[in-house]
Amino acid sequence: MSSHHIVRDDQEPALIIANGEACSSELLGQLLEWSPLVIVLDSAIERVLALGIKVDVLLGDFDRGFDADYYKEKQYPIEIVFAPNQDKTDLEKAFDFLIEKGHKAVNVIWATGRRADHTITNITNIVAYRNQLKIVILDDHSKVFLLPNTFEKWYTAKTIISLIPIGKVMGITTRNLFYSLNNEDLTIGYRTGSSNHVTADGIVSITHTKGDLLLMECWD
């Protein structure tokens, strides 16, 4: 793993490394190459440093007695952001930091796996920031993001796609998915669109009239 990522312009998504299950070195390397800014949550910093990754921002509440000077020396130059607000998770604080700095998009890794409560909270937080930041959560098995009311993308046949409503989502219509929806509703805990797949190579169209709908591109 390279100790330095390639800095691109600010049009590329930033990268947040949380403290869930680690992803493959291949995925990590791909994201580092295109990220203009790498933020690491304080709980993950030792795991990240062990991989030789250059960190731009270390953020958290530092409730484990961290020595900021140690990390400033080890990762110079690095910005240390103390975020003590206990009403928000460290990942939410990282989103707030990016919004304040004017970033429009972010990829998040190591945000799933391990504790289920953290995984659920991290994924559903995408919705809370829908008007401020384009958030994509990735791991070795899935890519998760919030859909606009009209979504179109080219996929290969048999690509696994899951539609996960946050609360109730109304008026969903799909094209080129094996299990099609025609002006139907999905409600978390009652009816979701898990483990659907693309029928044929080509454009998949998904529209909905109301609610927050997550799309998960999945692979085994």
Side-chain angles (χ1 to χ4, degrees), residues 129-159:
Y129 289 88
R130 62 183 175 274
N131 296 323
Q132 301 166 286
L133 194 63
K134 181 179 179 181
I135 301 168
V136 178
I137 294 180
L138 304 104
D139 58 31
D140 289 332
H141 306 285
S142 60
K143 176 181 178 180
V144 187
F145 54 94
L146 183 68
L147 289 181
N149 289 97
T150 299
F151 172 81
E152 290 187 340
K153 182 177 175 180
W154 195 97
Y155 288 98
T156 57
K158 300 188 183 300
T159 299

Side-chain angles (χ1 to χ4, degrees), residues 191-217:
R191 185 191 183 197
T192 64
S194 181
S195 295
N196 209 333
H197 65 267
V198 178
T199 305
D201 290 357
I203 294 292
V204 168
S205 171
I206 303 169
T207 62
H208 68 281
T209 59
K210 187 177 181 180
D212 298 308
L213 187 61
L214 297 179
L215 184 144
M216 299 185 178
E217 300 172 358

Side-chain angles (χ1 to χ4, degrees), residues 23-35:
C23 64
S24 66
S25 58
E26 289 79 10
L27 176 58
L28 179 58
Q30 291 169 14
L31 294 172
L32 286 170
E33 182 177 359
W34 291 96
S35 298

Side-chain angles (χ1 to χ4, degrees), residues 146-200:
L146 183 68
L147 289 181
N149 289 97
T150 299
F151 172 81
E152 290 187 340
K153 182 177 175 180
W154 195 97
Y155 288 98
T156 57
K158 300 188 183 300
T159 299
I160 301 172
I161 287 179
S162 291
L163 298 177
I164 306 299
I166 303 301
K168 183 174 184 178
V169 179
M170 303 172 64
I172 305 170
T173 298
T174 65
R175 297 287 182 268
N176 197 23
L177 291 182
F178 185 79
Y179 301 105
S180 61
L181 297 171
N182 185 16
N183 195 30
E184 299 177 53
D185 301 344
L186 296 177
T187 304
I188 193 69
Y190 294 92
R191 185 191 183 197
T192 64
S194 181
S195 295
N196 209 333
H197 65 267
V198 178
T199 305

Side-chain angles (χ1 to χ4, degrees), residues 2-39:
S2 172
S3 60
H4 293 276
H5 57 280
I6 299 173
V7 177
R8 307 289 182 177
D9 61 48
D10 288 338
Q11 299 304 310
E12 300 293 345
L15 179 65
I16 297 173
I17 304 178
N19 194 34
E21 192 69 29
C23 64
S24 66
S25 58
E26 289 79 10
L27 176 58
L28 179 58
Q30 291 169 14
L31 294 172
L32 286 170
E33 182 177 359
W34 291 96
S35 298
L37 183 75
V38 176
I39 301 176

